[in-house]
Amino acid sequence: MKFELRQHFQIESARRLPNLPEGHPCGRLHGHSFKIILTLVGEQDPRLGWVMDYHEIETRLRPFLDQLDHRVLNDVPGLENPTSENLCRWIHDKVRAGIPALTRVTVMETPSTECSYPAREQA
Ligand SMILES: [Zn+2]
């Protein structure tokens, strides 16, 4: 029987989206309180009773969050165009080796928007 875990994190970061038409508000430097949600799917460890220790998940993700938190995302290698889509994929590609049960990374740049990678139909 498989279980799905979701763990939430938050970072505060600045960004500007460089490829937008002149005058678009997201082209200006601005900040977001990004919510980042990791989704894992896996079997319970028969002895420990969990899929993965939440503390261990955080330990694996933290070094990458430290590269993003209270920084200008455009300055981070690989995030020159830091859309939520590119941020999702950047985080996914960084943590996937350390979190084998990871299935999705979700980024919420506002309380009403959500971007996930990979999309369910690709997973
Ligand atoms: Zn924005």
Side-chain angles (χ1 to χ4, degrees):
M1 180 86 66
K2 287 190 174 182
F3 291 83
E4 179 174 304
L5 309 187
R6 288 166 72 78
Q7 191 167 358
H8 296 223
F9 304 88
Q10 187 165 313
I11 57 170
E12 322 293 333
S13 306
R15 75 169 183 195
R16 59 176 206 87
L17 301 182
N19 300 333
L20 298 176
E22 179 95 17
H24 193 294
C26 293
R28 299 194 291 267
L29 187 65
H30 63 284
H32 284 287
S33 296
F34 288 97
K35 182 169 270 191
I36 292 158
I37 305 163
L38 302 190
T39 303
L40 286 70
V41 174
E43 303 279 347
Q44 270 176 304
D45 181 286
R47 191 172 68 85
L48 299 172
W50 60 34
V51 176
M52 188 172 174
D53 182 357
Y54 289 118
H55 181 263
E56 180 72 14
I57 296 168
E58 172 154 20
T59 300
R60 300 288 171 92
L61 177 62
R62 183 57 56 189
F64 303 110
L65 292 186
D66 288 346
Q67 293 180 41
L68 307 172
D69 189 34
H70 286 77
R71 297 181 194 279
V72 177
L73 296 180
N74 303 70
D75 295 341
V76 177
L79 290 176
E80 291 79 7
N81 180 23
T83 59
S84 286
E85 287 83 343
N86 286 336
L87 189 53
C88 266
R89 191 171 49 202
W90 188 92
I91 294 167
H92 178 271
D93 292 352
K94 297 288 186 191
V95 296
R96 136 187 229 187
I99 306 176
L102 181 74
T103 57
R104 311 179 82 200
V105 174
T106 300
V107 168
M108 298 176 68
E109 61 181 59
T110 69
S112 60
T113 59
E114 246 184 87
C115 172
S116 292
Y117 176 82
R120 278 187 211 283
E121 58 266 29
Q122 297 172 343

